[in-house]
Amino acid sequence: MTVQDRDAFQSEGRAAEVYRKAAEIILQKGYDATSVSDIAEALGITKAGLYHYIHGKTQLLFDIMQYGLNELDREVAQPAMKIKDPEARLRFMVAMHARIVTRGHGAVTILVDEARALTPAQNRKVTRKKREYFDFLRATLQEMKDARKLRDVDLTVATFSLLGMINWLSRWYRAEGALNEQQVAQAIVDIALNGLIRPAAGGGRSLRAV
Amino acid sequence: MTVQDRDAFQSEGRAAEVYRKAAEIILQKGYDATSVSDIAEALGITKAGLYHYIHGKTQLLFDIMQYGLNELDREVAQPAMKIKDPEARLRFMVAMHARIVTRGHGAVTILVDEARALTPAQNRKVTRKKREYFDFLRATLQEMKDARKLRDVDLTVATFSLLGMINWLSRWYRAEGALNEQQVAQAIVDIALNGLIRPAAGGGRSLRAV
Amino acid sequence: MTVQDRDAFQSEGRAAEVYRKAAEIILQKGYDATSVSDIAEALGITKAGLYHYIHGKTQLLFDIMQYGLNELDREVAQPAMKIKDPEARLRFMVAMHARIVTRGHGAVTILVDEARALTPAQNRKVTRKKREYFDFLRATLQEMKDARKLRDVDLTVATFSLLGMINWLSRWYRAEGALNEQQVAQAIVDIALNGLIRPAAGGGRSLRAV
Amino acid sequence: MTVQDRDAFQSEGRAAEVYRKAAEIILQKGYDATSVSDIAEALGITKAGLYHYIHGKTQLLFDIMQYGLNELDREVAQPAMKIKDPEARLRFMVAMHARIVTRGHGAVTILVDEARALTPAQNRKVTRKKREYFDFLRATLQEMKDARKLRDVDLTVATFSLLGMINWLSRWYRAEGALNEQQVAQAIVDIALNGLIRPAAGGGRSLRAV
DNA sequence: CATGAATGAGAGTTCATTCAT
DNA sequence: GATGAATGAACTCTCATTCAT
């Protein structure tokens, strides 16, 4: 059933439109503040009509989240697994994840922000999947650490910091702004990997110049 | 009236308890999902009784946010202004802000997460204040840039990335975890400023060792 | 239209199946608690599809009741009319009616339990028919009374008591129980006619012994 | 909580009025067909206002049923337990139970008719209690049987038949009718115990033969 | 200070029914 | 025959808020 709905989300047709519109509105107003009527209205149908496509408000949320998880898996995790070099893999993941957030389809952001509204069972499922993603990202950092390509940082803090930077994007990035999606994604990768401050010039650089 | 309430939040006495308890619950369940009854119940009084202390649910939220803004101003911005060196100031701000988030009094997190629920007028006020804080942080980066202490990064992306890392703390940091507040704060400062990867300089560092 | 439907109920074919399934479910869950979807689902068709066979939920109920009335008339009242001796007739009616209830096709029970849900017009029709049946049963008791075969009991109370005992069967009789339909029917006839207590031994019996 | 509500039903005050009015309307229209608005309207308050007194429609039903069970226990079972002679006890139970039904307060009838609407947990509780009452009644018949005061009847059928006669009263007895509550109760006791037909008195026969 | 009672508005959801295909 | 889509009406229930006491 859930699988069906997730497919509906991705497929073409009216059902897909329903799920996409719902995601859009929930992204905008928040899940709690979005009424089923709001969604119906935006679709130009009645509440009762909407119920042909959804199986309750919570299930709708869950289905959107499933789609978000899917998006991450399909577009970030799966391709990343094919990248051998951990640093290249990290760069790809951060950039790609950032782009999914900035392109604003909503599902990924809702996935992150509204987990509280799920039923315990749904929450468990979603949390497990999110955890898997987190672990994969962390494992990549671990590989880099093992290859002595990482500074001596706490990996958990590092992973969450990456995710914080990325997820925060949904709160401030506007497509109309000065930087486009790709530029922002690259900027984030750069900041995350290289930090903000110029390496102590007296040290490394001048020496290197020698 | 608002000023009164903000004072109430900070002062001792029953009113302060009300505001603190409210913040705690809202932090936990989210503003929309928190009913006035929930708060009253947690305080051991009736809904009607609670209305002696608050002036509506939205106003309560606004007051908590005001307190959060205040907290930031009092504990981060004001002291920071006394720090001349921009890098030291930045380090202080990130660390201190992070500690306010991790110590978990809630107001700052609510401030960030629930702005949507405010009335337009309240929202404007809060947004203006948040903007001031953002600008101050960004100005600090600008100073560093001018002093050539910053790598060539987009300052807006950088500022938001810092805030993303910090604000994300409220989603994952648990006091019971392996790192205490101070350690996490320092880890974040370190990651944000120095980045994750070891400077490519096989040159620099090893030479320094020489 | 109604006649058509009643026939449909009894006849073979898809329509009959629809009515029988509907009766079964309504008997089980009650009319109000049974949704048109429930019935459609049980039949493996859609709601809209079901509407090819029925003319509204109330009409469906009415048709089932008509069938129940018919059942009573055909299997109890009509044959009973051919029995001259009132006591024999009474025994037949009680036993036969009881068996219709216990065999559990549902229509008779629904007829009795769900009259409130009918439209006033339908209700009047059904009530009139039920009244006819009641009157026929009561008239049989009257005949017995006239023949001095009845104890001095209020005939109305007696008639309703008979019907109460019989109709109550649907609430407790289970085919899997210790007694089969026939045994239960006979037990009821026996109890209703002869009562529970052993006739005062000092009276009749000793006389008989003389 | 439940106990509280049951008390509320019996006590004086607004809460009692609410429960009594609710019972009255549910008795009249049936539980499913009674909306919460119906009850509120009959009380002259709004739906929301009614919810100060009840804890959901199902709980309301359950509470009414609890009261019904209580009524039976208090007015029938408890006093009956003090009656040594089983026949006297049976006569008392049937008569008293019948009067509770005819006096029409509703709770007992609702208790019997609407069990399907309860939650499984509630249903179990109610069923257990009803079972206890049934067993007590049946045990009384058993005592009579042991004392050879009973004809040779199946005790289960007998007990259910008694209950059928009594419970059916609620469907037909009207206070305005020819017989008052007491007369009907006595008539039922008489019919149930002595049956309808004049004993084929060995007495009678031989006399007739003379 | 605090309460119980009450309310209007609106929430999510279900339902019987219709109709173009 | 049968369906998917749609609807208006109704339903149970919750909520923020008020007010007399």
Side-chain angles (χ1 to χ4, degrees):
Chain A
M1 199 188 312
T2 298
V3 173
Q4 241 179 322
D5 296 339
R6 200 194 318 146
D7 287 346
F9 194 115
Q10 293 173 65
S11 77
E12 299 307 314
R14 196 72 204 271
E17 195 194 339
V18 166
Y19 279 75
R20 281 200 276 260
K21 199 78 181 176
E24 184 187 316
I25 300 177
I26 291 173
L27 178 61
Q28 207 180 96
K29 314 180 52 163
Y31 174 77
D32 283 306
T34 301
S35 77
V36 174
S37 297
D38 289 338
I39 299 169
E41 215 166 298
L43 287 162
I45 57 177
T46 57
K47 247 190 310 181
L50 177 56
Y51 269 82
H52 270 278
Y53 300 99
I54 71 175
H55 312 300
K57 199 188 172 193
T58 315
Q59 183 68 41
L60 167 63
L61 176 64
F62 181 63
D63 290 335
I64 291 173
M65 288 187 176
Q66 293 271 75
Y67 179 72
L69 286 167
N70 235 35
E71 227 179 343
L72 274 186
D73 193 52
R74 189 173 6 96
E75 303 198 35
V76 182
Q78 293 299 339
M81 284 177 192
K82 293 175 188 141
I83 303 174
K84 284 275 162 52
D85 177 51
E87 183 177 334
R89 194 194 308 147
L90 180 68
R91 287 178 186 275
F92 170 80
M93 287 184 77
V94 172
M96 198 61 209
H97 191 160
R99 293 197 65 178
I100 288 178
V101 172
T102 52
R103 87 182 174 209
H105 289 191
V108 166
T109 298
I110 290 169
L111 166 65
V112 156
D113 281 344
E114 309 280 9
R116 267 188 309 223
L118 295 175
T119 67
Q122 291 171 332
N123 207 336
R124 246 174 285 129
K125 245 183 242 184
V126 164
T127 301
R128 196 186 317 126
K129 276 283 204 175
K130 291 205 285 195
R131 177 75 206 228
E132 278 174 32
Y133 184 80
F134 176 90
D135 286 344
F136 180 45
L137 191 54
R138 194 180 189 284
T140 296
L141 290 181
Q142 181 70 55
E143 277 187 63
M144 290 174 67
K145 188 166 208 170
D146 294 346
R148 301 190 51 76
K149 295 182 86 168
L150 216 64
R151 294 181 46 251
D152 182 31
V153 295
D154 182 277
L155 292 191
T156 298
V157 177
T159 311
F160 277 122
S161 294
L162 282 173
L163 291 172
M165 289 170 64
I166 295 167
N167 286 324
W168 211 248
L169 275 170
S170 67
R171 306 241 183 171
W172 63 270
Y173 180 78
R174 294 293 165 259
E176 319 86 55
L179 287 73
N180 66 24
E181 290 177 26
Q182 179 155 8
Q183 291 169 322
V184 167
Q186 279 314 319
I188 293 222
V189 171
D190 177 44
I191 290 170
L193 267 60
N194 302 312
L196 294 175
I197 62 172
R198 185 186 299 275
R205 303 267 161 160
S206 51
L207 276 177
R208 211 194 284 157
V210 173
Chain B
M1 201 189 309
T2 298
V3 173
Q4 237 179 329
D5 295 338
R6 199 194 320 146
D7 288 344
F9 193 114
Q10 295 172 62
S11 77
E12 299 307 315
R14 197 72 205 270
E17 194 195 340
V18 166
Y19 279 76
R20 279 200 278 260
K21 200 78 181 175
E24 185 187 315
I25 300 177
I26 291 173
L27 177 62
Q28 209 181 93
K29 315 180 49 164
Y31 174 77
D32 282 306
T34 301
S35 75
V36 173
S37 296
D38 288 337
I39 299 168
E41 211 167 302
L43 287 162
I45 56 177
T46 57
K47 253 190 302 185
L50 177 57
Y51 269 81
H52 277 275
Y53 299 100
I54 70 175
H55 312 298
K57 199 189 172 193
T58 315
Q59 184 66 41
L60 167 65
L61 176 64
F62 181 62
D63 290 336
I64 291 173
M65 289 188 176
Q66 293 273 74
Y67 179 73
L69 287 167
N70 236 33
E71 228 180 344
L72 274 185
D73 194 52
R74 190 174 5 98
E75 305 199 35
V76 183
Q78 293 300 337
M81 283 177 192
K82 293 175 187 141
I83 302 174
K84 283 277 162 50
D85 177 50
E87 183 176 335
R89 195 193 310 146
L90 180 68
R91 288 179 186 274
F92 171 81
M93 287 184 77
V94 172
M96 199 62 210
H97 191 161
R99 294 197 63 179
I100 288 177
V101 172
T102 52
R103 88 183 173 208
H105 289 191
V108 167
T109 298
I110 291 168
L111 165 65
V112 156
D113 280 345
E114 309 279 8
R116 268 186 308 223
L118 295 175
T119 66
Q122 292 170 331
N123 206 337
R124 247 173 284 127
K125 246 184 244 186
V126 163
T127 301
R128 194 183 319 124
K129 276 283 207 175
K130 290 205 283 194
R131 177 74 206 225
E132 278 173 31
Y133 184 81
F134 176 89
D135 286 343
F136 179 45
L137 190 53
R138 194 180 188 284
T140 296
L141 290 180
Q142 182 68 56
E143 276 187 63
M144 290 174 68
K145 187 167 208 172
D146 293 346
R148 302 191 49 77
K149 295 182 85 171
L150 216 64
R151 293 182 46 254
D152 181 30
V153 296
D154 181 277
L155 293 191
T156 298
V157 177
T159 310
F160 277 121
S161 293
L162 282 173
L163 291 172
M165 289 170 64
I166 295 167
N167 286 323
W168 211 248
L169 276 169
S170 66
R171 306 243 184 171
W172 63 271
Y173 180 78
R174 294 292 164 262
E176 320 85 56
L179 287 74
N180 64 26
E181 290 177 27
Q182 180 156 6
Q183 291 169 322
V184 167
Q186 279 313 318
I188 292 221
V189 171
D190 177 43
I191 290 170
L193 268 59
N194 302 312
L196 294 175
I197 62 172
R198 188 184 297 275
R205 307 263 161 163
S206 52
L207 275 178
R208 212 197 284 160
V210 172
Chain C
M1 199 189 310
T2 297
V3 173
Q4 238 180 327
D5 295 337
R6 198 192 321 145
D7 288 346
F9 194 115
Q10 295 173 63
S11 78
E12 299 308 314
R14 197 75 205 270
E17 195 195 339
V18 166
Y19 279 76
R20 280 200 278 260
K21 202 75 180 177
E24 185 187 315
I25 300 176
I26 290 173
L27 177 62
Q28 209 181 92
K29 314 180 49 165
Y31 173 77
D32 282 305
T34 301
S35 76
V36 174
S37 297
D38 289 337
I39 299 169
E41 211 167 301
L43 288 162
I45 56 176
T46 57
K47 251 189 305 183
L50 177 58
Y51 269 81
H52 276 275
Y53 299 99
I54 70 175
H55 311 300
K57 198 189 172 192
T58 315
Q59 183 67 42
L60 167 64
L61 176 64
F62 181 63
D63 290 335
I64 290 173
M65 288 188 177
Q66 293 273 75
Y67 179 74
L69 287 167
N70 234 36
E71 228 180 342
L72 274 186
D73 194 50
R74 188 172 10 95
E75 304 198 36
V76 183
Q78 292 301 336
M81 283 177 192
K82 294 178 187 139
I83 302 175
K84 283 279 163 48
D85 177 50
E87 182 176 335
R89 195 193 309 146
L90 179 69
R91 287 178 186 275
F92 171 80
M93 287 183 77
V94 172
M96 199 60 211
H97 191 161
R99 294 198 64 179
I100 288 178
V101 172
T102 52
R103 88 184 173 207
H105 289 192
V108 166
T109 298
I110 290 169
L111 165 65
V112 156
D113 280 346
E114 309 278 9
R116 270 186 309 222
L118 296 175
T119 66
Q122 291 170 330
N123 206 337
R124 247 172 287 126
K125 245 185 244 186
V126 164
T127 302
R128 196 185 318 125
K129 275 283 205 175
K130 290 205 285 194
R131 176 74 206 227
E132 277 174 30
Y133 184 81
F134 176 90
D135 286 344
F136 180 45
L137 190 54
R138 193 180 190 285
T140 295
L141 290 181
Q142 181 69 55
E143 277 188 62
M144 288 174 68
K145 188 167 207 173
D146 294 344
R148 302 189 49 77
K149 293 182 87 171
L150 215 64
R151 291 182 46 254
D152 181 31
V153 295
D154 181 277
L155 292 192
T156 298
V157 177
T159 310
F160 277 121
S161 293
L162 282 173
L163 290 172
M165 290 171 64
I166 295 168
N167 286 324
W168 211 248
L169 274 170
S170 66
R171 307 242 182 170
W172 64 270
Y173 180 76
R174 292 294 164 263
E176 319 86 56
L179 286 73
N180 65 24
E181 291 177 25
Q182 179 154 8
Q183 290 168 321
V184 167
Q186 279 315 318
I188 292 223
V189 170
D190 178 44
I191 290 170
L193 268 60
N194 302 313
L196 294 176
I197 61 173
R198 185 185 300 275
R205 306 266 163 161
S206 53
L207 273 178
R208 212 196 284 158
V210 173
Chain D
M1 199 190 309
T2 298
V3 173
Q4 240 179 323
D5 295 338
R6 199 194 320 146
D7 287 345
F9 194 115
Q10 293 174 63
S11 77
E12 299 309 314
R14 196 72 204 272
E17 196 194 338
V18 166
Y19 279 76
R20 280 199 278 259
K21 199 78 181 175
E24 184 188 316
I25 300 177
I26 291 174
L27 178 62
Q28 208 180 93
K29 312 181 51 163
Y31 174 77
D32 282 308
T34 301
S35 79
V36 174
S37 296
D38 288 339
I39 299 169
E41 215 166 297
L43 288 162
I45 56 177
T46 58
K47 247 191 309 183
L50 177 56
Y51 269 82
H52 272 276
Y53 299 99
I54 70 176
H55 312 300
K57 198 189 172 191
T58 315
Q59 183 68 42
L60 167 64
L61 176 63
F62 181 64
D63 289 335
I64 291 173
M65 288 187 177
Q66 293 272 75
Y67 179 73
L69 287 167
N70 234 36
E71 226 179 344
L72 273 186
D73 193 52
R74 188 172 10 97
E75 304 199 35
V76 182
Q78 293 300 337
M81 283 176 192
K82 293 175 188 142
I83 302 175
K84 284 277 164 49
D85 177 52
E87 183 177 335
R89 194 194 310 146
L90 180 69
R91 287 178 186 275
F92 170 80
M93 286 184 77
V94 173
M96 199 62 211
H97 191 161
R99 293 197 64 178
I100 288 178
V101 172
T102 52
R103 89 184 173 208
H105 289 191
V108 166
T109 298
I110 290 169
L111 165 65
V112 157
D113 281 343
E114 308 280 7
R116 267 188 309 222
L118 295 175
T119 66
Q122 291 170 332
N123 206 336
R124 247 173 286 128
K125 245 184 243 183
V126 164
T127 302
R128 196 186 319 126
K129 275 283 203 175
K130 290 206 284 195
R131 177 75 207 227
E132 278 174 31
Y133 184 80
F134 176 90
D135 286 342
F136 179 46
L137 191 53
R138 193 180 190 284
T140 296
L141 290 181
Q142 181 70 54
E143 277 187 64
M144 288 174 68
K145 187 166 208 173
D146 294 344
R148 303 190 51 76
K149 295 180 87 170
L150 215 64
R151 292 180 46 252
D152 181 31
V153 294
D154 181 276
L155 292 191
T156 298
V157 178
T159 311
F160 277 122
S161 293
L162 282 173
L163 291 172
M165 290 170 65
I166 295 168
N167 287 323
W168 211 248
L169 275 170
S170 67
R171 307 241 182 171
W172 63 270
Y173 179 77
R174 292 294 164 261
E176 318 86 56
L179 287 73
N180 65 26
E181 291 177 26
Q182 179 154 8
Q183 290 168 323
V184 168
Q186 279 314 318
I188 292 222
V189 170
D190 177 44
I191 290 170
L193 268 61
N194 302 312
L196 293 175
I197 62 172
R198 188 183 298 276
R205 305 259 165 163
S206 52
L207 276 178
R208 217 194 281 157
V210 173

